[in-house]
Amino acid sequence: MNMKLLAGACAAAACTLWAGQALADPSGTLGVDYNYTTVPGASGHIGDWGVNGNVALPITSNLTIQADAAYDGYSETGGSDFHTDQISGTGFWQGAKGRLGLTGGYNELGASGASVHFENYGAFGEFYATNQITLGLKGGSLTTSGFNATYVGAEAVGYVMPDLALSGTYDYVGVSGAHINGYGVGAEYLISEKAPISITGGYTYTDVGSGVHLNTWMIGAKFYFGGKGTTLVDHQRSGAETWGNKTSSLFFLF
């Protein structure tokens, strides 16, 4: 992680600690995951270990600010390793039937001593259609020197039980006439409400065009802290934002 990313992460942490002393009910998550990606008909695979965390701080009864940081290390069979670093800030309005937010972030893609940096800006909305169903939509842009991309995402979450969520997602990234589509399914189960650790899993089918697609399998674990939630649906609807402020990893395929 370069010094700019480190300084940004430290500044976000310092603001979080200061604000946490004055504001009630901060919440957040700490997570780790592993992704395994293959291309049908090709040998080898890409493995990705990731760690991430966030802290959300309510500043009024309806308005919350949030800081996020994430790191992913990729290893390709027969190829060079690379990594991504991300820090971001988010603000969202929370109501009884959903939330609306704006987000912005700084990202680094690094490999073999070289790196590329880009920024992302976007907006998102989530609608609590029923006690068991959440619908989400997000979109925005990713920019770097001489390069601009547009992304759009949609999500539907169904709570089979208060501590078990099943989800379906769609992601689109487009650049200069080229585009990539991703279709995913996932599940998250909160093992214990007293020790709020969940396990996650999922699969994503990525269509990169010209008859080529990727298969990605994911497993992970997440720890929820703070806030007023006890069940998984409580943590996801009243705690930190973990979907709308995330840019799609499909961007890195360009």
Side-chain angles (χ1 to χ4, degrees):
M1 181 179 293
N2 66 21
M3 292 304 295
K4 186 172 182 179
L5 283 168
L6 182 60
C10 290
C15 291
T16 295
L17 291 174
W18 173 82
Q21 296 175 356
L23 299 173
D25 300 315
S27 62
T29 66
L30 297 172
V32 60
D33 58 65
Y34 177 74
N35 294 268
Y36 183 90
T37 300
T38 61
V39 180
S43 60
H45 68 275
I46 299 175
D48 162 26
W49 282 102
V51 294
N52 58 80
N54 56 57
V55 176
L57 303 165
I59 58 176
T60 72
S61 59
N62 297 105
L63 186 61
T64 297
I65 58 174
Q66 179 174 322
D68 288 70
Y71 174 87
D72 286 88
Y74 299 81
S75 179
E76 181 180 3
T77 303
S80 60
D81 297 343
F82 60 100
H83 69 271
T84 60
D85 305 291
Q86 301 174 326
I87 57 173
S88 65
T90 301
F92 60 86
W93 177 89
Q94 177 82 51
K97 297 297 293 183
R99 57 176 58 170
L100 296 171
L102 299 174
T103 187
Y106 177 84
N107 309 262
E108 177 191 58
L109 170 63
S112 303
S115 62
V116 176
H117 306 96
F118 61 93
E119 293 76 42
N120 64 277
Y121 309 95
F124 62 89
E126 294 178 355
F127 172 58
Y128 309 146
T130 70
N131 290 338
Q132 292 79 34
I133 297 175
T134 296
L135 304 176
L137 184 66
K138 63 182 177 181
S141 63
L142 305 102
T143 63
T144 187
S145 178
F147 188 90
N148 293 278
T150 299
Y151 72 89
V152 176
E155 180 184 52
V157 181
Y159 296 97
V160 181
M161 300 185 296
D163 291 324
L164 174 61
L166 304 180
S167 62
T169 60
Y170 169 73
D171 288 286
Y172 166 92
V173 175
V175 179
S176 301
H179 61 271
I180 297 174
N181 295 280
Y183 310 86
V185 292
E188 182 173 357
Y189 176 64
L190 190 67
I191 299 173
S192 168
E193 293 181 2
K194 293 183 178 180
I197 297 176
S198 70
I199 54 175
T200 60
Y203 166 78
T204 301
Y205 175 95
T206 304
D207 180 5
V208 299
S210 301
V212 179
H213 72 271
L214 311 179
N215 296 309
T216 301
W217 299 91
M218 183 277 289
I219 58 172
K222 187 181 297 181
F223 171 68
Y224 291 90
F225 62 89
K228 301 177 181 179
T230 55
T231 66
L232 180 61
V233 63
D234 290 335
H235 287 297
Q236 293 189 343
R237 288 187 172 183
S238 65
E241 178 62 34
T242 58
W243 176 79
N245 58 344
K246 299 296 183 294
T247 55
S248 174
S249 60
L250 300 182
F251 173 78
F252 298 113
L253 296 177
F254 285 104

